[in-house]
């Protein structure tokens, strides 16, 4: 018996050590990756911000003049000095402007080149002609020059050629005609990242080694004196019960005199044997019901998602406009919805709506409302007529007295004229070209489903090329943090105007990031639904 106990002790300790080693490896891996990702994100965002600031100091339309100046002249010198100040104030290693050979992107020419004064690397002179570093850089240059991307980044964690580990952020410099004239690049060394990662790994390894040694010593004594024998009895009884499925005649508490948690466990096993047969049927039924509900909720979520437009670009053959929308339900399914579709070749219908309530009832009401709205819209009706007829249809069979707020607009694509009507929904937000986002305080009609026979007023907005329309539900301004403060329309406008020139997808992402940072860990009570429409107009 003594040998058996010793063998069990060794096996128990060995198992704990293996678990500790695995846990240590997982912690180390997660911590290493998290720290690396966080630092790399900080580096990349800092480099991108530096690139954006630097790009504002360069008029791309003057690029030919800079080239012809041969790196001289007052205008060229002013830009070079500006870039030099930005490079040294931002912590960047290099800030430079290049013109790639767009035939095969195999060579680049340096137009501007600045370096951090504390750096030991060399700076390239004006007109320096060199081969592109590798194929990765070629593809990045191609994506920027051919306007497939608004920014690109290259990471060299182990260094390359004459520099150490670094990141290079690249943005295009576009002229007033929209063409890419050159590329602005910001390089930052990652020496701090490497030092912090190495320090982190060293501290974690030392801490975990000490922890393993302490745990082995303490656990050996504990297992030997207090745990192994009682646990063996409990394990044997559990094995017997799982095989025989009968209550034991001799209770575990008669053999185990511990008054600690082990004794409590022994008593729990005794009670389990007495109660388990009574509970097993209830547990089986409860598990089956839970699985059924979970399956139905999952199916409801997928059905709801399939009801909303989710393929982007939504209209790949239409260059006159761009649109992007996103709905995040507070529960598995929500009551918010959006829609956009072509009524005909020259008219785009856009809908943003919010159903009262949450969960399955709201989702079902949302689907019915969406179908009725679209059926009325495709018949060629005006926004006011669509809302009126939809309201009458819903009121005719609304036994649960639910309602939905709706903003609906129809854009005439050829002219940019937008005719809209509002049934108790949030104010839309409009950005005119070269201006900031502003609320359009339109007149609200009564909610859909509240009372039959209601009429709705229309109004017109003119969207010039470059205009953007932002629609949302009350889950955005009414998002609440732990202090029970509301996000408000003011914060929403601030988030939109931090980067008013962002594309439609990035615009929604900017607002979502601002909401998440405001709410943080507070529970989300309402759906978050947004839509952004950019009108580009037709080319002459």
């Amino acid at each position: 018996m003594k040998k058996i106990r010793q063998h069990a002790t060794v096996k128990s300790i060995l198992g704990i050590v293996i678990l500790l080693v695995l846990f240590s490896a997982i912690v180390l891996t997660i911590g290493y990756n998290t720290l690396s990702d966080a630092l790399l994100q900080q580096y990349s965002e800092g480099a991108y911000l530096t690139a954006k600031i630097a790009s504002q100091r360069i008029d791309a339309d003057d690029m030919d003049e800079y080239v012809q100046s041969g790196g001289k002249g007052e205008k060229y010198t002013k830009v070079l000095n500006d870039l030099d100040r930005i490079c040294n104030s931002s912590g960047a290693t290099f800030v430079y402007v290049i013109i790639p050979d767009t035939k095969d992107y195999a060579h680049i020419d340096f137009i501007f080149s600045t370096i951090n004064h504390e750096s030991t690397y060399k700076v390239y002179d004006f007109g320096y002609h060199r081969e592109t570093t590798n194929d990765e850089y070629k593809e990045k240059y191609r994506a920027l020059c051919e306007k497939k991307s608004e920014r690109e980044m290259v990471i060299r964690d182990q260094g390359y050629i004459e520099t150490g580990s670094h990141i290079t952020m690249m943005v295009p410099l576009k002229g007033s005609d929209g063409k890419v004239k050159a590329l602005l690049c910001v390089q930052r060394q990652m020496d701090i990242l490497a030092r912090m990662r190495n320090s982190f790994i060293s501290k974690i390894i030392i801490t975990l080694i000490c922890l393993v040694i302490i745990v082995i010593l303490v656990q050996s004594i504990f297992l030997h004196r207090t745990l192994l024998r009682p646990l063996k009895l409990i394990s044997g009884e559990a094995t017997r019960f799982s095989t025989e499925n009968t209550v034991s005649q001799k209770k575990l508490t008669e053999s185990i005199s511990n008054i600690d948690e082990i004794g409590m466990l022994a008593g729990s096993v005794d009670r389990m044997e007495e109660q388990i047969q009574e509970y097993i049927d209830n547990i089986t039924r409860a598990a089956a019901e839970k699985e059924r509900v979970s399956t139905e909720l999952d199916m409801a979520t997928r059905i709801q998602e399939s009801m909303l437009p989710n393929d982007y670009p939504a209209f790949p053959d239409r260059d006159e406009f761009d649109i992007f929308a996103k709905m995040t339900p507070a529960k598995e399914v929500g009551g918010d919805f959006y829609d956009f579709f072509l009524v005909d070749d020259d008219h785009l219908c856009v809908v943003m709506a919010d159903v009262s309530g949450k969960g399955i009832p709201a989702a079902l009401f949302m689907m019915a409302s969406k179908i009725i709205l679209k059926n009325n819209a495709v018949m060629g009706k005006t926004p006011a007529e669509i809302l009126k007829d939809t309201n009458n249809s819903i009121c005719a069979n609304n036994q649960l007295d639910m309602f939905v707020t709706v903003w609906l607009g129809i854009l005439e694509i050829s002219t940019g004229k937008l005719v809209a009507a509002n049934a108790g929904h949030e104010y839309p937000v409009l950005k005119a070209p070269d201006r900031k986002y502003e609320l359009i305080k339109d007149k609200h009609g009564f909610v859909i489903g509240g009372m039959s026979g209601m009429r709705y007023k229309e109004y017109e907005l003119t969207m010039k090329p470059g205009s953007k329309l932002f629609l949302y539900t009350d889950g955005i301004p009414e998002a609440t943090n732990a202090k029970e403060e509301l996000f408000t329309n003011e914060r929403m406008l601030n988030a939109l105007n931090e980067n008013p020139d962002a594309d439609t997808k990035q615009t929604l992402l900017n607002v979502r990031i601002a909401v998440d940072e405001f709410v943080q860990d507070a529970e989300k009570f309402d759906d978050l639904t947004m839509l952004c429409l950019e009108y580009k107009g037709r080319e002459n």
Side-chain angles (χ1 to χ4, degrees):
M1 294 295 294
K2 183 176 180 180
K3 291 183 178 180
I4 295 176
R5 288 198 299 271
Q6 290 176 342
H7 181 63
T9 302
V10 173
K11 290 178 66 176
S12 300
I13 294 175
L14 181 60
I16 293 174
V17 170
I18 293 174
L19 289 176
L20 282 173
V21 172
L22 291 175
F23 176 77
S24 303
I26 293 172
V27 170
L28 183 61
T29 302
I30 294 174
Y32 179 87
N33 292 333
T34 302
L35 179 63
S36 297
D37 291 343
L39 291 173
L40 186 58
Q41 178 69 18
Q42 182 180 6
Y43 267 72
S44 61
E45 289 301 322
Y48 178 66
L49 179 61
T50 301
K52 293 294 290 184
I53 294 173
S55 65
Q56 295 172 0
R57 299 293 192 276
I58 303 175
D59 188 346
D61 289 330
D62 293 335
M63 194 58 61
D64 290 338
E65 182 179 343
Y66 297 146
V67 173
Q68 294 173 3
S69 70
K72 299 178 181 179
E74 181 179 351
K75 183 181 293 188
Y76 178 92
T77 302
K78 182 179 182 304
V79 173
L80 184 62
N81 290 336
D82 288 345
L83 296 182
D84 184 74
R85 284 193 295 272
I86 293 172
C87 178
N88 282 274
S89 63
S90 65
T93 306
F94 295 104
V95 176
Y96 56 92
V97 176
I98 60 172
I99 298 179
D101 183 355
T102 56
K103 293 180 180 179
D104 55 4
Y105 299 94
H107 297 84
I108 57 174
D109 293 312
F110 284 76
I111 307 304
F112 296 94
S113 182
T114 62
I115 191 171
N116 193 296
H117 297 166
E118 297 179 1
S119 173
T120 59
Y121 302 116
K122 69 177 182 178
V123 65
Y124 295 115
D125 296 328
F126 170 85
Y128 179 72
H129 181 78
R130 58 169 284 183
E131 290 184 357
T132 301
T133 303
N134 54 37
D135 291 337
E136 182 181 8
Y137 275 92
K138 289 181 182 180
E139 294 305 315
K140 302 293 185 181
Y141 295 158
R142 187 187 306 276
L144 292 169
C145 291
E146 297 178 4
K147 296 189 287 187
K148 297 178 181 178
S149 172
E150 290 300 319
R151 67 171 174 177
E152 293 289 343
M153 182 175 69
V154 175
I155 302 174
R156 285 290 175 267
D157 200 25
Q158 301 300 323
Y160 198 79
I161 309 179
E162 67 273 24
T163 59
S165 59
H166 64 272
I167 62 169
T168 302
M169 182 66 67
M170 297 169 279
V171 297
L173 298 176
K174 297 181 181 180
S176 57
D177 57 359
K179 295 182 178 180
V180 177
K181 305 295 185 179
L183 303 180
L184 187 141
C185 307
V186 174
Q187 180 177 314
R188 295 189 67 184
Q189 303 303 116
M190 295 194 295
D191 49 348
I192 297 178
L193 183 148
R195 288 199 300 271
M196 292 184 70
R197 286 191 307 197
N198 294 337
S199 175
F200 170 81
I201 293 172
S202 300
K203 292 178 181 179
I204 289 293
I205 291 175
I206 293 173
T207 301
L208 292 176
I209 290 174
C210 295
L211 179 62
V212 168
I213 294 174
I214 293 172
V215 168
I216 290 175
L217 295 174
V218 174
Q219 192 67 14
S220 299
I221 298 172
F222 180 78
L223 285 173
H224 181 72
R225 293 182 178 180
T226 62
L227 287 179
L228 284 178
R229 177 183 172 275
L231 284 177
K232 184 177 180 181
L233 291 174
I234 294 172
S235 176
E237 176 59 22
T239 301
R240 185 205 64 79
F241 182 75
S242 65
T243 303
E244 300 177 7
N245 200 24
T246 58
V247 178
S248 175
Q249 296 298 320
K250 184 177 181 180
K251 304 297 184 183
L252 281 172
T253 50
E254 297 177 12
S255 301
I256 300 174
S257 59
N258 298 47
I259 59 174
D260 55 9
E261 289 81 359
I262 297 298
M264 295 174 61
L265 178 60
S268 298
V269 172
D270 289 338
R271 290 190 296 272
M272 176 195 70
E273 293 182 357
E274 297 171 354
Q275 299 172 357
I276 194 167
Q277 292 183 359
E278 178 184 349
Y279 290 158
I280 191 167
D281 292 338
N282 294 334
I283 293 174
T284 301
R285 286 193 295 269
E289 179 66 15
K290 182 178 180 181
E291 180 66 22
R292 183 187 65 81
V293 172
S294 177
T295 301
E296 291 181 357
L297 282 175
D298 181 65
M299 182 171 292
T301 301
R302 285 183 287 171
I303 291 174
Q304 185 180 35
E305 290 177 350
S306 67
M307 290 286 293
L308 303 179
N310 282 307
D311 293 330
Y312 298 100
F315 304 96
D317 298 331
R318 304 302 296 262
D319 298 329
E320 305 97 319
F321 61 91
D322 184 27
I323 193 167
F324 191 86
K326 183 70 174 178
M327 197 241 334
T328 304
K331 296 184 177 181
E332 288 85 355
V333 289
D336 288 3
F337 71 91
Y338 62 85
D339 202 0
F340 49 82
F341 51 87
L342 289 171
V343 178
D344 54 45
D345 190 58
D346 194 37
H347 291 86
L348 173 70
C349 182
V350 181
V351 181
M352 179 62 65
D354 186 358
V355 175
S356 60
K358 298 290 177 289
I360 295 293
L364 294 174
F365 194 81
M366 159 255 170
M367 288 185 240
S369 302
K370 178 180 178 296
I371 291 171
I372 296 173
L373 279 166
K374 186 169 183 179
N375 286 343
N376 280 288
V378 297
M379 295 173 67
K381 300 178 182 180
T382 67
E385 292 172 340
I386 295 170
L387 295 184
K388 177 177 71 69
D389 294 343
T390 300
N391 177 62
N392 291 336
S393 297
I394 291 177
C395 287
N397 187 22
N398 187 12
Q399 298 179 359
L400 296 179
D401 294 328
M402 298 184 73
F403 63 87
V404 56
T405 66
V406 180
W407 185 98
L408 185 144
I410 297 179
L411 172 68
E412 188 173 61
I413 301 171
S414 59
T415 64
K417 183 177 75 172
L418 177 68
V419 181
N422 193 330
H425 197 71
E426 302 294 316
Y427 293 127
V429 182
L430 183 66
K431 177 193 174 299
D434 301 323
R435 297 188 64 180
K436 294 184 177 181
Y437 284 92
E438 297 178 353
L439 283 177
I440 303 298
K441 296 189 175 181
D442 55 2
K443 187 172 183 180
H444 290 184
F446 202 59
V447 297
I448 300 296
M451 183 184 301
S452 62
M454 299 302 300
R455 295 182 178 276
Y456 301 89
K457 292 187 177 181
E458 297 177 349
Y459 62 93
E460 291 186 6
L461 297 174
T462 299
M463 296 189 69
K464 299 179 181 179
S467 297
K468 294 178 184 175
L469 178 69
F470 178 78
L471 305 175
Y472 57 98
T473 58
D474 59 4
I476 301 298
E478 295 180 7
T480 307
N481 62 14
K483 298 179 182 178
E484 298 187 355
E485 298 172 331
L486 297 180
F487 186 66
T488 71
N489 284 332
E490 181 180 357
R491 289 188 175 92
M492 179 185 71
L493 289 173
N494 290 337
L496 288 167
N497 288 318
E498 282 186 4
N499 187 8
D501 297 324
D503 59 24
T504 55
K505 182 177 181 180
Q506 186 64 43
T507 297
L508 268 58
L509 180 60
N510 292 342
V511 176
R512 180 59 192 270
I513 291 173
V515 172
D516 289 344
E517 290 177 350
F518 176 79
V519 174
Q520 294 185 351
D521 297 330
E523 183 178 358
K524 296 177 177 60
F525 294 99
D526 205 352
D527 307 333
L528 301 179
T529 306
M530 297 175 283
L531 180 148
C532 185
L533 168 66
E534 179 179 5
Y535 178 68
K536 301 179 180 180
R538 292 182 174 174
E539 297 183 359
N540 295 327

